[in-house]
Amino acid sequence: VIVTLLTDYGHDDDFAGICHAVIASVAPEVRVIDLTHGIPRFDVRRGALALRDALPYLPVGVHVAVVDPQVGTERRAVALSTAEGRMFVGPDNGLLSLAADRAGGVEVAVDITRSPHRLEPVSATFHGRDLFAPVAARLAAGSEMADAGTPLDPGELQTIELPRPSMDADTLVTHVLYTDGFGNATLDAGHEDLAGSGLTLGRPVDVQVGGRRLAATYTSSFADVEPGDAILYEDAQRALALAINRGNAAAAFGLAPDTEVRLRPR
Amino acid sequence: VIVTLLTDYGHDDDFAGICHAVIASVAPEVRVIDLTHGIPRFDVRRGALALRDALPYLPVGVHVAVVDPQVGTERRAVALSTAEGRMFVGPDNGLLSLAADRAGGVEVAVDITRSPHRLEPVSATFHGRDLFAPVAARLAAGSEMADAGTPLDPGELQTIELPRPSMDADTLVTHVLYTDGFGNATLDAGHEDLAGSGLTLGRPVDVQVGGRRLAATYTSSFADVEPGDAILYEDAQRALALAINRGNAAAAFGLAPDTEVRLRPR
Amino acid sequence: VIVTLLTDYGHDDDFAGICHAVIASVAPEVRVIDLTHGIPRFDVRRGALALRDALPYLPVGVHVAVVDPQVGTERRAVALSTAEGRMFVGPDNGLLSLAADRAGGVEVAVDITRSPHRLEPVSATFHGRDLFAPVAARLAAGSEMADAGTPLDPGELQTIELPRPSMDADTLVTHVLYTDGFGNATLDAGHEDLAGSGLTLGRPVDVQVGGRRLAATYTSSFADVEPGDAILYEDAQRALALAINRGNAAAAFGLAPDTEVRLRPR
């Protein structure tokens, strides 16, 4: 069984490396895959979306996620197992919720805040090392969920609310979910939301962000437009996204999470 | 058999992590080594040089490279095997060509654009996940090249032309191949190009970049000069390089790929 | 046996990846864990402290560290084994000294500068690849320390002097050891140095940095104060540290290694 890691630890410090070392100490036979340590610091929703969208590509295993602005408070730490046989370990702040839903929903939840697997003394700031990594290592090595902590009603778990697209007359009103390292902005709409919008592959799109109007093309590939031109496209997670060919749409258009982006045929 | 990865994906997003996950899903027994994900975005030549120069240190295996500005267009995707028994997987844009040459030359080439190993639906933007990772995993697990796609004449593969040094009277005219994270600039000349140039280890060198003249020392080590002084040296890939001891030569001298650097004894 | 890597190579180049490849070539069965490649360039003390503080979480193995401003000079390269059965490989510039002390002290030291395990020709600039990685791989694979180089008196090894806290009347005078990627500043004092200082958990602290005075709270968790407020706390390495909740204390207060930070009850 493998363990995957997704955190906001970055690569300047040794936080991620220490988590690897702890897992190797507790369960030497377990393989660890770094999904990413580049989630923007404290951006729980971005982490939750990244974990959800990565899920179809991850071997069944123990998926650790740590984006944890409330570390050191009374926020709960949890381990979850789902209908698909996947396990999730992390803070109970919604970070795990979207992925757990996609994995069939939580069947068993355990409060691991005072897990017998934790490394004492537990620090106030580094639960990745002291709590999440050792619990995940034990679960990956075959330890029972029930031995990781105390039972918890799955209905009590924190969730995350995502914005949703809507139609306003002839306009599809969408919102930015997140922007990636290239400045491409993923929207809260997918192909299925386009029914009735009049937006058609290969046709120009009128994009309105704040008071600004931009021309884009709804296309399947960056290569269909000139460098510097804007496109609306289905991204690799099958969500609608806004980008500039060889440019940075987030910087150019001032796109950030929750920015409203209004789309209609041009 | 191992798989190595070299990409321009960076570390802010989970692109590299997802490729690991795909390989682990397809071929759990295959080990993956990240050569680098820090190739400057879309810099095919830099990627090709990095892969070529790393090659002598890589175990024989499947070497995946993804620097792919034309992803989503009709550019071909390929798998190659060489006289040395190495395999390469990536876009057919020259990225693999320098390393394949160094590995003895391409013996078998396969067009994998519509490989049966690909993950459907193939996205327009993330062929690392949908095409290159699964094909590489299958090859590393022992699948035949012939099963990865359709045969291709190696002579049709894209190549990369590198600049070459020349003598202009008493001056060795070189060009910057690339600069690294420390600002050191690797030139297109090696020790063997110095014959007849009059440049001698331990002696001062007159360096001309654009209209500017600089004094450097041709030396074997940074430690031979004071902090802030410029050196010409044989770098770890056995190429001539220009650097400033504890400084950033690229920034100080305005060095970029293809910048002409003229060298003569002082 | 595992190998851990701690370097200042960063992630833009393939230096770390090449070290992985060399180890995999020399000793395919050895597992490698990246502790960090984000040590600030040439910051030997920061690297030495990071390795020391990580040690309790690392499986017993071969710990490679490369922060090596004098690479290419006559500085010695060494392999050390300690009372706890750990091995360390790196330059003899103090980088290994704090961790070796914490691991029970050096029992056997070997000068590996001309190790038979090195990869010829050894470059002047990349000893990670040509010397440290292959020596570590051989040691991890079971090769004897004595075969890695020539014997060396442990008393001749370079060490690192750290600043120490002191009392000045009612003030605890501390110094910054380092700042992390979040701007949190680790001081050279621990809980045990607070005896007699009058500083009490949960109480306000008067912090003096240069001519500036700041109000902080001595607390166990960021969550005990408002965003933007300063705290003095015991960090994950059990050292006193200064931080701003959801802010950057290093930037706000001008904290750098060796900055004097004066603490007294408010």
Side-chain angles (χ1 to χ4, degrees):
Chain A
V1 176
I2 67 146
V3 170
T4 67
L5 301 180
L6 175 149
T7 77
D8 64 352
Y9 287 155
H11 290 91
D12 289 343
D13 299 292
D14 59 6
F15 305 135
I18 300 266
C19 291
H20 274 258
V22 167
I23 294 169
S25 297
V26 172
E29 72 284 9
V30 167
R31 180 176 177 179
V32 184
I33 292 180
D34 293 301
L35 205 40
T36 182
H37 298 289
I39 300 297
R41 197 179 183 204
F42 295 154
D43 191 341
V44 175
R45 187 172 87 180
R46 179 73 185 91
L49 288 162
L51 188 61
R52 180 196 72 183
D53 292 341
L55 204 67
Y57 300 97
L58 306 187
V60 170
V62 182
H63 308 298
V64 179
V66 190
V67 181
D68 195 7
Q70 297 161 295
V71 64
T73 70
E74 289 302 302
R75 72 95 184 86
R76 208 155 32 196
V78 294
L80 316 173
S81 65
T82 71
E84 284 186 2
R86 294 182 183 274
M87 288 181 273
F88 295 90
V89 175
D92 179 25
N93 60 7
L95 178 64
L96 310 174
S97 62
L98 302 178
D101 283 353
R102 184 154 296 185
V106 176
E107 289 202 329
V108 178
V110 175
D111 183 335
I112 60 166
T113 308
R114 283 171 188 76
S115 173
H117 303 329
R118 72 194 192 277
L119 302 188
E120 294 276 19
V122 173
S123 63
T125 51
F126 194 3
H127 286 194
R129 178 191 70 188
D130 300 330
L131 183 59
F132 301 127
V135 167
R138 292 291 193 97
L139 291 172
S143 179
E144 294 295 325
M145 281 283 287
D147 296 334
T150 55
L152 179 66
D153 176 356
E156 289 181 29
L157 294 168
Q158 298 294 313
T159 56
I160 280 185
E161 286 303 309
L162 296 177
R164 287 166 182 274
S166 60
M167 288 300 299
D168 177 8
D170 64 339
T171 299
L172 179 63
V173 182
T174 69
H175 312 84
V176 174
L177 287 179
Y178 58 85
T179 60
D180 73 14
F182 299 144
N184 304 341
T186 295
L187 306 177
D188 59 355
H191 200 77
E192 67 283 6
D193 299 302
L194 296 184
S197 73
L199 295 169
T200 314
L201 203 63
R203 301 283 299 163
V205 184
D206 183 83
V207 180
Q208 207 178 324
V209 178
R212 297 173 61 193
R213 272 221 151 92
L214 328 154
T217 304
Y218 177 31
T219 176
S220 58
S221 167
F222 284 71
D224 294 338
V225 301
E226 297 297 311
D229 281 358
I231 64 169
L232 182 73
Y233 68 111
E234 191 174 65
D235 74 8
Q237 285 72 42
R238 309 191 72 70
L240 278 188
L242 194 59
I244 295 177
N245 187 20
R246 305 210 181 186
N248 187 308
F253 303 148
L255 303 174
D258 292 316
T259 301
E260 185 178 284
V261 176
R262 302 173 68 89
L263 306 170
R264 60 175 188 179
R266 194 183 189 86
Chain B
V1 176
I2 67 147
V3 168
T4 67
L5 301 179
L6 175 149
T7 77
D8 64 352
Y9 287 155
H11 290 92
D12 288 344
D13 299 292
D14 59 6
F15 306 135
I18 301 266
C19 290
H20 275 257
V22 167
I23 295 169
S25 297
V26 171
E29 72 284 8
V30 167
R31 178 176 179 182
V32 184
I33 292 179
D34 292 301
L35 205 41
T36 183
H37 299 288
I39 299 297
R41 196 177 186 208
F42 294 154
D43 190 341
V44 175
R45 188 173 86 181
R46 179 71 185 92
L49 288 163
L51 189 60
R52 181 197 70 182
D53 292 341
L55 203 67
Y57 301 96
L58 306 187
V60 170
V62 182
H63 309 297
V64 178
V66 191
V67 181
D68 195 8
Q70 297 161 297
V71 66
T73 69
E74 288 301 304
R75 72 94 184 87
R76 208 154 32 194
V78 294
L80 316 174
S81 65
T82 71
E84 285 185 2
R86 295 182 182 276
M87 288 181 274
F88 296 90
V89 175
D92 180 24
N93 60 8
L95 178 64
L96 310 174
S97 62
L98 303 179
D101 283 352
R102 184 153 298 184
V106 176
E107 289 203 329
V108 177
V110 175
D111 183 335
I112 60 166
T113 307
R114 284 171 187 76
S115 174
H117 304 328
R118 71 194 193 277
L119 303 188
E120 294 276 20
V122 173
S123 63
T125 52
F126 194 2
H127 286 194
R129 177 190 71 188
D130 301 331
L131 183 59
F132 301 127
V135 167
R138 292 292 191 96
L139 290 173
S143 178
E144 294 295 324
M145 282 281 288
D147 296 333
T150 54
L152 179 65
D153 176 356
E156 289 181 29
L157 294 168
Q158 297 295 313
T159 56
I160 280 186
E161 286 303 308
L162 295 178
R164 287 164 183 272
S166 60
M167 288 301 298
D168 177 6
D170 64 339
T171 299
L172 179 63
V173 182
T174 70
H175 313 84
V176 175
L177 287 179
Y178 58 86
T179 60
D180 73 13
F182 300 143
N184 304 341
T186 294
L187 306 176
D188 58 355
H191 201 77
E192 66 283 5
D193 298 302
L194 296 185
S197 73
L199 295 169
T200 314
L201 202 63
R203 302 283 299 161
V205 184
D206 183 82
V207 180
Q208 206 178 323
V209 178
R212 296 173 62 195
R213 273 221 150 89
L214 328 154
T217 304
Y218 177 32
T219 178
S220 60
S221 167
F222 284 70
D224 294 338
V225 301
E226 297 297 311
D229 282 359
I231 64 168
L232 182 73
Y233 68 109
E234 191 174 67
D235 74 7
Q237 284 73 44
R238 309 191 71 71
L240 278 187
L242 194 60
I244 295 177
N245 188 20
R246 306 210 182 187
N248 187 308
F253 304 148
L255 303 174
D258 292 316
T259 301
E260 184 178 285
V261 176
R262 302 172 67 89
L263 306 170
R264 60 175 188 179
R266 197 181 187 85
Chain C
V1 176
I2 66 146
V3 169
T4 67
L5 301 180
L6 175 148
T7 77
D8 64 351
Y9 288 154
H11 291 90
D12 288 344
D13 299 293
D14 59 5
F15 306 134
I18 300 266
C19 290
H20 274 258
V22 167
I23 294 170
S25 297
V26 172
E29 71 285 9
V30 166
R31 178 175 178 182
V32 183
I33 293 180
D34 292 302
L35 205 41
T36 182
H37 298 289
I39 300 297
R41 197 180 184 203
F42 294 154
D43 190 341
V44 175
R45 188 171 87 180
R46 179 73 185 91
L49 287 162
L51 188 60
R52 181 197 70 183
D53 292 342
L55 203 68
Y57 301 96
L58 306 187
V60 170
V62 182
H63 309 298
V64 178
V66 190
V67 181
D68 196 8
Q70 297 160 296
V71 64
T73 69
E74 288 301 303
R75 72 95 184 87
R76 209 155 31 197
V78 294
L80 316 174
S81 65
T82 72
E84 284 185 2
R86 294 182 183 275
M87 288 180 274
F88 296 90
V89 175
D92 180 24
N93 60 7
L95 178 64
L96 310 175
S97 61
L98 303 178
D101 283 352
R102 183 153 296 183
V106 176
E107 288 202 329
V108 177
V110 175
D111 182 334
I112 60 167
T113 307
R114 283 170 187 78
S115 174
H117 304 329
R118 71 194 193 277
L119 303 188
E120 294 275 21
V122 173
S123 64
T125 51
F126 194 1
H127 286 193
R129 177 191 71 188
D130 300 331
L131 182 59
F132 301 127
V135 168
R138 292 291 192 97
L139 291 173
S143 179
E144 295 294 324
M145 282 282 287
D147 296 333
T150 55
L152 179 65
D153 176 357
E156 289 181 29
L157 294 167
Q158 298 294 313
T159 56
I160 280 186
E161 286 304 308
L162 295 178
R164 288 164 182 274
S166 60
M167 289 299 299
D168 176 6
D170 64 339
T171 299
L172 179 63
V173 183
T174 69
H175 312 83
V176 174
L177 287 179
Y178 58 85
T179 60
D180 73 14
F182 299 144
N184 304 340
T186 295
L187 306 177
D188 58 356
H191 201 76
E192 67 283 5
D193 299 303
L194 296 184
S197 73
L199 295 168
T200 314
L201 203 63
R203 304 281 299 161
V205 184
D206 183 81
V207 180
Q208 206 178 323
V209 178
R212 295 173 63 193
R213 273 221 151 90
L214 329 154
T217 305
Y218 177 32
T219 177
S220 59
S221 167
F222 283 71
D224 294 338
V225 301
E226 297 297 311
D229 283 358
I231 64 167
L232 183 73
Y233 69 109
E234 191 174 65
D235 75 7
Q237 284 72 44
R238 309 190 72 69
L240 279 186
L242 194 59
I244 295 177
N245 188 19
R246 306 207 184 191
N248 187 309
F253 304 148
L255 303 174
D258 292 316
T259 301
E260 185 178 284
V261 176
R262 302 172 67 90
L263 307 170
R264 59 176 189 180
R266 195 183 188 86

